Amino acid sequence: MMDLNALRQFVAVARLEHLSRAAEELRVAQPSLSRTIARLENELGTPLFERSGRLRLNDVGRLFLGHVERALGELDAGARAVADAVSEGVGGVRLASETFLTLTGPLAAYKRAHPDVEVELRWMPADDMARALRAQEVDLCVASQPIAAEGLTAVQLLDDVVGVATPPGHPLAGRARVSVDELAGQPLVSARAGHWQRRLLERLFAARGLTPKIVCEVDEPSAIAGLISAGLGIGLVPGFARRVSAGFAGCWIPVDSPDCRRTVTLYWATGSRLPAAARLMRSTITGWDWDPA
């Protein structure tokens, strides 16, 4: 029988494709981790990684990883189900999102209605969400860009127009609309690579053969509006964020492109046995009044 600890260590190495970083994350010695992976490969009778140069998961390893993630996810879900069954409340819920600014309203309503439920929030890039849902590392995910993956159920929450925010006194301030071509050469404040806002920016520019001039890249997208107000540049800001951000002192201008929008979607694993707290959270989010008017 395979050691559960060895399987969890394999998942970490497979995800990072780096032994020393995985050992640091797992807080184990690298030689010990190497021996664990070697024993697992010996038990399976085949290598799981390519070791020529950089460590990389091979095709067999990817196949095995999918089964291991699902198995560990089921075990963790079983433990949570037992905990929920014997507890007096409805347990906890794990929600992942690219940004939580959009969710402050329904999250506050949920906590008011269910104050004893433990809510665990995780920032997560959209690229990791499908794997995390299938592995049952999280119960629900909210993404502002499509997740192209099988085995997920989706409910659209918000279709939001995205505009350009400028600091006060900027030459574009006061315009009724602005084209993407007019943004070329402008200093731009942007989210990190992979975030929906950054991908939208790059997609709009690439469609016109342009490259955005990014002068400020931030980890927390909610900080973009504040940095723009401070005069560091201009940038894409969704209409929803403009309406709920209290301190934005600049101007917001619609972009003359039908593609300058984001769609906010709630995802969960199809067929997953969501705990009661997660089902209540799903109902709160999907039943929220997302009308931007």
Side-chain angles (χ1 to χ4, degrees), residues 57 65 73 80 89 128 150 180 200 212 226 236 245 247 249-250 291:
L57 200 64
L65 176 63
R80 293 183 69 211
D128 292 345
E150 297 180 356
V180 177
L200 174 59
L236 296 183
S245 294
D291 187 350

Side-chain angles (χ1 to χ4, degrees), residues 153 195 203:
T153 301
H195 188 271
R203 189 165 64 248

Side-chain angles (χ1 to χ4, degrees), residues 201-272:
L201 179 67
E202 292 171 344
R203 189 165 64 248
L204 290 170
F205 273 65
R208 293 158 179 81
L210 303 171
T211 301
K213 180 183 176 183
I214 297 171
V215 297
C216 183
E217 182 179 275
V218 301
D219 289 335
E220 177 45 58
S222 63
I224 291 176
L227 293 169
I228 292 171
S229 296
L232 295 180
I234 66 174
L236 296 183
V237 172
F240 186 92
R242 174 179 66 104
R243 290 187 296 276
V244 301
S245 294
F248 182 62
C251 297
W252 188 88
I253 312 161
V255 177
D256 192 13
S257 170
D259 299 325
C260 198
R261 309 186 69 87
R262 69 160 177 165
T263 301
V264 182
T265 305
L266 176 68
Y267 293 91
W268 64 91
T270 303
S272 62

Side-chain angles (χ1 to χ4, degrees), residues 25-44:
E25 179 179 290
L26 294 165
R27 298 185 179 181
V28 299
Q30 183 174 330
S32 174
L33 181 59
S34 297
R35 289 192 295 270
T36 297
I37 298 301
R39 283 196 301 269
L40 185 59
E41 290 178 319
N42 184 63
E43 187 173 351
L44 291 169

Side-chain angles (χ1 to χ4, degrees), residues 10 14 17 41 44 46-51 55-67:
F10 161 71
E17 292 189 321
E41 290 178 319
L44 291 169
T46 183
L48 299 171
F49 296 90
E50 298 290 344
R51 290 176 170 82
L55 187 73
R56 291 185 181 276
L57 200 64
N58 62 24
D59 291 341
V60 175
R62 280 188 287 272
L63 175 66
F64 186 57
L65 176 63
H67 287 279

